Amino acid sequence: MTMSPGDPSSAARSLQGGNDSGEPAGNRPGNRSGDASPSVSAATTANAAITRITIAVQTDDFDLSSEVAALRAGDTSVGAVACFVGTVRDLGGAQAIAAMTLEHYPGMTERSLRSICDEAARRWPLAGVCVVHRIGELHAGDQIVLVAVTSRHRGAAFEACEFVMDYLKTRAPFWKKERGPDGERWVDARDSDDEAARRWARQAQQQQQQQ
């Protein structure tokens, strides 16, 4: 979700989840205190398997290989890994982009991301879901977001990865401001993003009607 911000400080608190053993999740390795708001938890899927869900909102960059290795660690049932990495383009429409600033509501954003991942785990038989989203100032070529999904089969992994990203774009409270030669501007959500999310809602309705 991208729009002009209200008062982010009104909801400025971190969401700290527990890991599968019930122990509190600490800061992600390599992040300065306060830079990340990680949440590690479990969700029950339709086939009663346990999906490991890891969420982080942070200023630091992320390493794709490390995140995927952590998501797969110790789970030999995984037969497919699907990943999406979003990066900063050098053009926003017809305007060149020198930098981008991403803001969020601490706590609220993490809960929204968790809800999206939980929904994916209910729809598909997943082994794990990882979402890492950066905030702060970013430049052309920088990584913005990672969505990684593991499953026994590629079909579920591909679809769930696309679902999480589509819903993230429209439901997670992030605010994006682009800076170019003509100054700064807040970026609104695109119609194509809204339509992508509606497609999944229609799919769910059709599946319910068929049951």
Side-chain angles (χ1 to χ4, degrees), residues 16 21 24 33 36 43 77 88 122 139 157 176 179 184 200 210:
Q16 292 287 346
S21 65
S33 176
S77 71
V88 181
R122 285 190 290 269
H139 299 86
K176 182 167 64 175
R179 187 173 77 244
E184 297 180 338
W200 294 110
Q210 293 171 359

Side-chain angles (χ1 to χ4, degrees), residues 2 23 29 44 72 78 81 95 98-99 102 106 114 124 147 151 173-174 185 210:
T2 54
E23 297 174 354
T44 304
R72 296 179 56 198
V78 171
V81 181
Q95 175 176 295
L102 280 161
R114 165 64 195 272
W124 292 277
V147 175
S151 180
F174 289 98
R185 68 183 185 98
Q210 293 171 359

Side-chain angles (χ1 to χ4, degrees), residues 49-199:
I50 297 299
T51 300
R52 182 173 178 81
I53 296 174
T54 304
I55 294 167
V57 178
Q58 61 190 50
T59 56
D60 286 352
D61 198 3
F62 55 84
D63 179 74
L64 173 60
S65 296
S66 297
E67 297 294 344
V68 171
L71 190 63
R72 296 179 56 198
D75 190 350
T76 56
S77 71
V78 171
V81 181
C83 301
F84 172 85
V85 176
T87 59
V88 181
R89 295 187 299 270
D90 59 1
L91 285 175
Q95 175 176 295
I97 298 175
M100 170 192 299
T101 301
L102 280 161
E103 298 182 6
H104 79 305
Y105 274 115
M108 184 185 299
T109 300
E110 289 85 353
R111 285 192 295 272
S112 178
L113 294 173
R114 165 64 195 272
S115 177
I116 293 168
C117 293
D118 282 347
E119 178 63 22
R122 285 190 290 269
R123 292 193 183 208
W124 292 277
L126 306 179
V129 184
C130 172
V131 176
V132 182
H133 205 300
R134 297 181 66 192
I135 54 174
E137 183 169 297
L138 302 171
H139 299 86
D142 285 349
Q143 298 185 129
I144 307 172
V145 59
L146 164 67
V147 175
V149 176
T150 59
S151 180
R152 286 180 176 270
H153 304 288
R154 67 181 186 275
F158 278 133
E159 289 189 357
C161 186
E162 186 177 14
F163 169 86
V164 171
M165 193 61 219
D166 285 345
Y167 267 40
L168 183 157
K169 291 279 288 186
T170 56
R171 294 190 175 185
F174 289 98
W175 292 269
K176 182 167 64 175
K177 181 171 61 178
E178 295 176 346
R179 187 173 77 244
D182 299 327
E184 297 180 338
R185 68 183 185 98
W186 291 102
V187 180
D188 294 325
R190 297 183 300 179
D191 292 340
S192 59
D193 293 331
D194 292 330
E195 177 54 32
R198 285 193 292 267
R199 175 171 62 91

